[in-house]
Amino acid sequence: MTGAAVQISHLSKRYSDFVAVDDVSLDVAPGEFVTLLGLSGSGKTTTLMAVAGFVDLDAGRIAIDGRDIAGLPPEKRDLGVVFQNYALFPHLNVFENVAFPLRMRKWTQPAIEKAIGRVLDIVSLGHLATRRIAELSGGQQQRVALARALVFEPPVLLMDEPLGALDRSLRDQLQTEIKRIQRDLGVTVLYVTHDQEEALALSDRIAVMAEGKICQLATPDEIYENPASAFVAGFVGESNFIDVTMRGQDGPLATVAPTGIPGALFTATTSRAAAPAQAQAVMAIRPEALRLAALQDTPPCNAIPGRVALREFMGATVRLTIDTELGPMIVRDGRVSEAARFKAGDTVRLSWNERDALLFPPR
Amino acid sequence: MSARLRSAVPAALILPGFLLVAGLFVWPVAQLVATSFGDRAGALVHYVKIFTEPTYLRVVGRTLLLSAQTAMLCVLLGYPLAYQLNRAGGIGKAVILVCILIPFWTNLLVRTYGWIILLNPQGVINGVLRQLGLIEGAVPLVYNTTGVLIGMTQIMLPYMVLPLAAVMSRLDPAVMRAARSLGASPAQAFLKVYVPLTLPGVLGGFLLVFMLSLGFFVVPAILGGPRDLLLAQLIEFNINQTLNWPFAAALSTVLLAATVTLYWIGDRFFGLGRLWGAR
Ligand SMILES: Nc1ncnc2c1ncn2[C@@H]1O[C@H](COP(=O)(O)OP(=O)(O)O)[C@@H](O)[C@H]1O
Ligand SMILES: [Mg+2]
């Protein structure tokens, strides 16, 4: 099985006067794993179901390997779909659920048995073939749904929040498995989730969606390090946001005045063309980019005093909430770092590198 | 309010209903069953009579057959109705509901005599058929089993449609989409997924209608013919005409036993109790 390319161009869908999907374009390369990541209601499912053939589009074109599939009913599109909550057939056992697409394709019984033996091994369910669906755990149902969507070797697999109903540890485990299966089979995957960690871990590229639009399409690293907007900076990973006023700009470096501290000046990085002086902006800093030190040290620039309000031990990392004149700031550092030594109540100095302070238009 | 009083209030509210059911239903039924076994000639004489004399066996057989036919017709008419009821939005849903429920709310006698106007040899249907030149004379549509079947089916239809529509509405639409995405045409998805998943509703509705039809009296009495007596009519005849109450009681007990057995089967295997939320 080899993956096919998926081209989505200028997709739009409105429900009465509500725009659910707004001019979405997305090219997925053969064998690529692309995730639609967004809050609930951002149009992810609608986009995915449009590719599957269940949404009457108002505008747009969808092509698989260059072939326009707009006119094809769902059963002729030959795409594997894993639905939210699995949508297994409760009246059939595991074997017959997985056999369903093969029976529809009129495969012979020996061919069906061979294919199912193989696919159930891939999802480690070989021993459960005769079980009823109601007798399976959530994780097992999820594997059956995956097997059923893969057994007819579709070139493209669509998955809508496949891990949404499972608990954390099971989710991590299945996440790894989904990635492994996708690599082994070379199938193209278009994946939907609202969980940013899941998206970061699984995807070759992520399309961050909000209000029916794609607001950034890039690799996980790029999205995390170079978010396109304050929204993305806050939605993918954690960020501290500081309201500022632009004072001057020299290439990517800018001087800004924080709204909360009269007279203070910080330096920060902007990817945009020069913003006019006095323009409002928001500065985003990742929790792990903030450094903590004892207050008496000589103050560098880009620093503010604060007091540790809360110290949360997270295992590998420590998360501290620092009360400052700019409001509460989150700091995250390793378990054995210098920052981890501070306790609640300590007075500290927060500082950061100008490269890690990103400027965005106000939200 | 003390905890004791708080638990006493619901109990007090249940009491009148409980007394009503116990006093006016359970007690008389127990009396009835006792009467059927209470003959001096032997406890089982009436039952032996019912199950050995061809006349009575024929009545039992005819009642079972007619009830099954009614239930079958209700399935055939009710399945598409329930399907549409579940799919239609707003106005369509209201129209279907009104068509099913107005006869349901109409007085039984009015409705049944209404059928005579439509079905009798000089009635509307025969008139239209004659006008169209399709028949000469008249098709016998009333005062026979055909008439009973028509009347019964109309009355029983809501008992099929409403529970069935409830079962259909509980079916996850994503399951039908899944079937389509896996290569099933709309017809295949319907036959391989929708029908099997709504089959418990069909069987439950079938049993419910069958059960209710077994003891039905008014419709057979008005629309039926003199030669095709049903169980309920035979009971009435033995109470009012021959005054053979123990025999009538035995017939009633047979009816009761059949109904309870069917309910048990329906509840045990097809979730009949769930159809109207009993659990
Ligand atoms: N059939 C529908 N009728 C009306 N509105 C809908 C329908 N389907 C989706 N929507 C709306 O479109 C928006 C996007 O929905 P969806 O694509 O399901 O979002 P997501 O999967 O990102 O949570 C939501 O606000 C939802 O309420
Ligand atoms: Mg969704």
Side-chain angles (χ1 to χ4, degrees):
Chain A
M1 168 181 346
T2 45
V6 181
Q7 289 117 0
I8 298 171
S9 21
H10 303 294
L11 221 62
S12 286
K13 174 65 186 175
R14 57 175 68 232
Y15 292 108
S16 56
D17 58 352
F18 176 80
V19 183
V21 175
D22 191 0
D23 195 29
V24 162
S25 295
L26 177 63
D27 276 7
V28 186
E32 196 181 15
F33 196 121
V34 172
T35 298
L36 302 177
L37 171 67
L39 295 168
S40 175
S42 56
K44 309 180 296 292
T45 297
T46 307
T47 306
L48 199 73
M49 287 300 126
V51 178
F54 294 110
V55 176
D56 286 329
L57 288 174
D58 296 320
R61 183 172 170 279
I62 300 168
I64 305 288
D65 270 347
R67 193 167 69 109
D68 192 335
I69 57 168
L72 292 180
E75 66 268 23
K76 297 266 169 59
R77 296 192 177 195
D78 223 26
L79 306 171
V81 185
V82 175
F83 290 82
Q84 214 163 353
N85 303 320
Y86 324 135
L88 297 174
F89 304 130
H91 61 300
L92 302 176
N93 66 14
V94 169
F95 184 95
E96 285 303 324
N97 262 275
V98 182
F100 190 91
L102 307 181
R103 297 210 188 284
M104 290 299 122
R105 286 167 175 76
K106 305 219 158 27
W107 286 29
T108 62
Q109 186 66 21
I112 290 177
E113 277 167 22
K114 194 156 151 252
I116 291 180
R118 202 167 50 218
V119 80
L120 287 186
D121 278 347
I122 291 177
V123 299
S124 332
L125 275 184
H127 56 300
L128 295 179
T130 56
R131 281 281 182 91
R132 293 165 45 84
I133 296 304
E135 296 164 355
L136 300 179
S137 71
Q140 289 167 337
Q141 294 192 10
Q142 165 39 233
R143 288 162 197 266
V144 177
L146 190 59
R148 189 179 67 171
L150 286 173
V151 70
F152 57 99
E153 308 197 349
V156 177
L157 183 61
L158 310 175
M159 305 177 88
D160 192 358
E161 314 236 4
L163 307 181
L166 305 174
D167 58 41
R168 181 82 252 165
S169 64
L170 196 54
R171 214 151 66 198
D172 290 346
Q173 184 192 339
L174 273 165
Q175 201 173 290
T176 314
E177 262 185 70
I178 287 174
K179 191 66 194 168
R180 173 182 60 79
I181 292 169
Q182 185 254 340
R183 284 243 182 77
D184 291 352
L185 300 178
V187 60
T188 307
V189 173
L190 190 53
Y191 190 95
V192 160
T193 184
H194 65 266
D195 183 317
Q196 41 111 1
E197 283 181 40
E198 204 173 296
L200 290 170
L202 282 170
S203 318
D204 295 321
R205 282 189 301 156
I206 298 174
V208 181
M209 287 190 76
E211 291 168 357
K213 292 192 183 69
I214 291 182
C215 41
Q216 187 170 11
L217 172 62
T219 62
D221 301 59
E222 174 72 9
I223 290 208
Y224 191 83
E225 282 158 21
N226 249 323
S229 65
F231 168 76
V232 176
F235 184 56
V236 182
E238 225 176 350
S239 283
N240 293 293
F241 291 108
I242 299 158
D243 290 329
V244 296
T245 309
M246 300 295 291
R247 280 293 144 82
Q249 189 172 345
D250 177 17
L253 278 189
T255 309
V256 297
T259 311
I261 314 175
L265 283 180
F266 297 144
T267 51
T269 307
T270 176
S271 57
R272 292 179 302 141
Q278 305 310 324
Q280 293 298 305
V282 58
M283 186 168 80
I285 309 172
R286 296 286 185 196
E288 67 272 19
L290 285 172
R291 288 188 300 270
L292 274 191
L295 192 54
Q296 55 268 35
D297 297 1
T298 46
C301 60
N302 290 338
I304 46 170
R307 173 188 290 271
V308 179
L310 188 66
R311 180 183 185 275
E312 293 163 282
F313 183 68
M314 315 287 286
T317 62
V318 172
R319 187 176 186 270
L320 299 116
T321 308
I322 316 293
D323 280 340
T324 72
E325 291 167 84
L326 297 169
M329 305 273 276
I330 307 296
V331 178
R332 189 192 281 271
D333 212 333
R335 183 168 54 87
V336 292
S337 65
E338 188 177 353
R341 294 207 308 271
F342 291 100
K343 302 182 300 294
D346 290 351
T347 48
V348 292
R349 195 196 65 221
L350 265 180
S351 64
W352 60 90
N353 194 306
E354 64 202 14
R355 281 194 323 269
D356 296 322
L358 303 177
L359 289 170
F360 299 105
R363 283 173 293 183
Chain B
M1 207 190 285
S2 76
R4 199 193 189 110
L5 194 59
R6 232 176 297 150
S7 64
V9 168
L13 288 174
I14 291 169
L15 199 63
F18 178 77
L19 286 178
L20 203 69
V21 171
L24 298 180
F25 183 71
V26 177
W27 174 245
V29 166
Q31 283 293 306
L32 184 84
V33 174
T35 309
S36 76
F37 290 105
D39 204 285
R40 255 165 282 133
L44 293 176
V45 280
H46 299 300
Y47 292 95
V48 171
K49 193 159 125 193
I50 294 171
F51 289 110
T52 52
E53 285 190 26
T55 322
Y56 300 122
L57 269 180
R58 267 201 299 279
V59 172
V60 171
R62 190 183 299 130
T63 306
L64 290 173
L65 181 66
L66 190 96
S67 301
Q69 286 170 327
T70 305
M72 202 59 231
L73 270 177
C74 282
V75 168
L76 294 178
L77 295 174
Y79 197 90
L81 271 175
Y83 184 77
Q84 282 307 325
L85 184 63
N86 205 44
R87 282 172 62 101
I91 295 175
K93 195 168 216 141
V95 168
I96 296 174
L97 268 180
V98 162
C99 288
I100 296 169
L101 289 178
I102 284 200
F104 193 53
W105 290 329
T106 310
N107 179 284
L108 184 59
L109 283 173
V110 171
R111 199 167 26 157
T112 309
Y113 282 113
W115 275 119
I116 295 185
I117 296 172
L118 284 176
L119 299 177
N120 80 67
Q122 273 70 52
V124 179
I125 291 177
N126 273 306
V128 169
L129 290 178
R130 267 195 300 274
Q131 289 279 313
L132 292 174
L134 293 175
I135 56 165
E136 288 174 24
V139 185
L141 292 173
V142 73
Y143 306 127
N144 55 19
T145 22
T146 310
V148 178
L149 205 52
I150 293 172
M152 294 276 283
T153 301
Q154 185 204 25
I155 284 166
M156 293 300 166
L157 202 51
Y159 294 103
M160 175 61 78
V161 172
L162 298 179
L164 194 49
V167 168
M168 288 174 174
S169 76
R170 281 199 295 267
L171 193 146
D172 179 4
V175 171
M176 294 298 284
R177 286 180 166 195
R180 296 290 303 281
S181 79
L182 294 169
S185 68
Q188 283 172 317
F190 181 77
L191 291 174
K192 301 278 180 198
V193 178
Y194 200 85
V195 169
L197 285 179
T198 50
L199 204 57
V202 171
L203 295 173
F206 182 94
L207 280 175
L208 182 60
V209 170
F210 186 77
M211 236 158 57
L212 292 172
S213 301
L214 283 180
F216 225 81
F217 175 72
V218 177
V219 172
I222 296 174
L223 298 179
R227 276 179 299 121
D228 21 54
L229 217 58
L230 299 179
L231 206 49
Q233 291 164 281
L234 188 61
I235 293 170
E236 190 266 353
F237 182 77
N238 276 287
I239 291 173
N240 290 333
Q241 310 293 316
T242 62
L243 301 180
N244 187 353
W245 286 33
F247 186 58
L251 287 168
S252 305
T253 305
V254 169
L255 190 55
L256 185 67
T259 309
V260 169
T261 309
L262 285 171
Y263 185 85
W264 179 81
I265 292 174
D267 195 47
R268 179 85 177 67
F269 299 103
F270 308 113
L272 200 56
R274 262 197 318 262
L275 287 183
W276 52 78
R279 63 179 148 111

